[in-house]
Amino acid sequence: MDGLGKVIFAGAGPGDPGLVAYKAIRNIKTADVIIYDRLVNPILLQLSKPQCELIYVGKNPDVKYKAQDEINRIINEKAALGLTVVRLKGGDPGIFGRLSEEVDSLNNKYPYEVIPGITSASAAALYSDFPLTDRAHEPHVTFSTGHLQKESVREIDFQALAKGGTLALYMGMKALPEIISVLSKDMDAHLKVAVVGNASYGYQKTVIGDLSTINDLVSAHKVTHPAMIIIGDVVNVRKGLSWYEKLPEFGVRKLIVSKDEIDKEKILEMYDQGGFYYIIDQLDDETIQNKYKSIHEEILAIHGFDEIITDSLLSIEKLEKRFNIKINPAKIKTDFSLND
Ligand code: SAH
């Protein structure tokens, strides 16, 4: 050890924590500081060691985005202290992840490593049961941003990108109607389009249509950000529900509550059943509670959990008191084996 800080840029994958590289998991467990974005499944942060500092640099209701300069400054400041910093980014850090800006900001002062992640396009397609390329249909796939600068669709030639292959659009929900109207100008109205919201989360929504129907379907099914738009014949490979949507707990959201410490690996395994799972444990430990306070609060605010699993009703009482909430008793399920 030379006392020099180090920065690991790691992909957090699209949502399902089972889709994170083993190497990224190992680094999350040993990091001194984790600097993370909005699109990172917060359950991953709970794998960190108790004294690891968590810094959120994503979107806030008040400030739109933390400016990139500010993020760079924080990374450098922590590395300068000789700490091991994990910069955790949604999906793959090298795909629309502003990786090079952050790497450049290190100015060769600190060593860095990069761990690739599963990008949203891959997960959205495969968790909806179609591939991104297919020998029978599509010889190429393009990843493009659908985010338009200065409300102009002209700067990206979407027609050229969609021709004869698959087009996967990131950040395209706002401009979807515009993009579809440009494509419709001289492409077949029956060209398939899939929009996949929250890919690889238990509340994933996949809507399948074509150029003529997709806008209405997206509004009708209320598919919102984050979502991938995938255009091309590969979408035809999907037949009915996907393997993922058929998992026994798909669509179910479960909160696991304990005053004691719960083995996080067990929760990660639960994700294989297709639901969304979150833990609030160590309810008497002030250090832990302070560390996760804002994360827990946000999760409790956005997710209406279907089931609350606990090892004791005392834990539920502590949860209610600490977060000033009331749990519907009908949703509580006691499971004394949680800490085995
Ligand atoms: N580096 C990321 C992309 C960041 S850009 C990656 O490799 O996936 C942010 C965009 O990614 C969002 O606007 C959305 O289009 C897409 N995205 C991220 N997570 C997603 C998810 N779980 N489901 C669908 N799209 C997602």
Side-chain angles (χ1 to χ4, degrees):
M1 291 285 279
D2 52 9
L4 204 61
K6 173 169 147 184
V7 183
I8 293 137
F9 296 93
D16 180 346
L19 298 184
V20 183
Y22 184 54
K23 188 171 176 180
I25 297 281
R26 280 195 283 113
N27 279 281
I28 289 169
K29 286 181 176 171
T30 54
D32 298 314
V33 185
I34 300 177
I35 302 174
Y36 67 100
D37 286 335
R38 180 162 200 86
L39 293 172
V40 166
N41 186 334
I43 200 78
L44 293 169
L45 304 171
Q46 293 201 34
L47 298 172
S48 64
K49 56 188 186 188
Q51 62 280 30
C52 171
E53 183 187 2
L54 303 177
I55 305 177
Y56 175 65
V57 292
K59 216 183 199 175
N60 273 325
D62 38 333
V63 208
K64 208 172 168 232
Y65 279 100
K66 215 164 230 180
Q68 191 61 47
D69 287 349
E70 175 65 359
I71 299 175
N72 297 348
R73 191 192 63 70
I74 296 170
I75 297 173
N76 277 270
E77 176 193 298
K78 297 299 172 183
L81 295 171
L83 301 172
T84 299
V85 179
V86 167
R87 174 69 177 105
L88 199 56
K89 290 168 168 288
D92 181 287
I95 296 180
F96 305 117
R98 309 189 87 171
L99 176 64
S100 56
E101 290 165 59
E102 294 182 14
V103 168
D104 285 349
S105 83
L106 300 177
N107 264 321
N108 293 320
K109 276 193 298 220
Y110 313 104
Y112 70 90
E113 292 174 21
V114 185
I115 305 171
I118 292 181
T119 193
S120 308
S122 298
L126 295 177
Y127 274 50
S128 302
D129 243 347
F130 61 87
L132 283 174
T133 68
D134 190 274
R135 212 152 74 109
H137 303 294
E138 310 286 44
H140 59 82
V141 55
T142 304
F143 292 169
S144 171
T145 176
H147 177 77
L148 309 172
Q149 310 287 340
K150 304 175 237 105
E151 83 277 338
S152 158
V153 274
R154 256 163 291 162
E155 69 201 289
I156 303 172
D157 188 345
F158 291 108
Q159 292 196 5
L161 299 183
K163 227 159 245 160
T166 306
L167 175 58
L169 295 173
Y170 292 74
M171 300 173 278
M173 291 306 276
K174 213 171 131 207
L176 180 66
E178 265 177 285
I179 295 169
I180 294 297
S181 104
V182 167
L183 290 176
S184 302
K185 275 189 192 137
D186 70 4
M187 300 188 90
D188 182 354
H190 298 298
L191 179 62
K192 284 281 178 153
V193 182
V195 175
V196 186
N198 289 294
S200 87
Y201 278 105
Y203 43 94
Q204 165 181 309
K205 256 188 213 170
T206 302
V207 167
I208 307 283
D210 60 27
L211 288 182
S212 67
T213 60
I214 198 68
N215 281 322
D216 291 343
L217 288 169
V218 164
S219 322
H221 291 90
K222 301 191 172 62
V223 189
T224 51
H225 174 86
M228 281 300 311
I229 301 159
I230 302 177
I231 303 164
D233 290 340
V234 284
V235 174
N236 285 315
V237 173
R238 176 180 165 106
K239 304 277 182 284
L241 287 181
S242 74
W243 64 269
Y244 181 61
E245 292 150 352
K246 285 186 208 152
L247 288 175
E249 294 191 350
F250 180 75
V252 177
R253 303 184 203 209
K254 294 188 176 184
L255 176 67
I256 295 102
V257 178
S258 176
K259 59 184 172 30
D260 302 316
E261 185 172 1
I262 291 181
D263 179 4
K264 307 296 178 300
E265 305 281 345
K266 257 202 222 168
I267 310 303
L268 296 196
E269 273 172 33
M270 288 175 100
Y271 271 84
D272 294 351
Q273 300 303 306
F276 175 76
Y277 310 89
Y278 191 71
I279 322 171
I280 300 184
D281 68 348
Q282 294 166 276
L283 280 156
D284 291 323
D285 186 324
E286 292 306 322
T287 314
I288 293 290
Q289 289 309 314
N290 282 333
K291 178 178 171 188
Y292 294 110
K293 186 173 188 286
S294 57
I295 303 173
H296 288 346
E297 281 173 353
E298 198 187 346
I299 291 282
L300 289 170
I302 40 186
H303 293 281
F305 286 98
D306 303 293
E307 207 171 275
I308 323 290
I309 306 172
T310 187
D311 48 5
S312 77
L313 291 177
L314 180 60
S315 299
I316 298 288
E317 268 173 43
K318 288 178 188 284
L319 176 86
E320 291 182 321
K321 211 165 143 213
R322 190 174 277 278
F323 293 95
N324 198 18
I325 50 168
K326 191 84 197 93
I327 301 285
N328 175 355
K331 289 187 176 176
I332 300 173
K333 207 181 129 208
T334 32
D335 179 349
F336 302 104
S337 65
L338 273 180
N339 301 302
D340 293 353

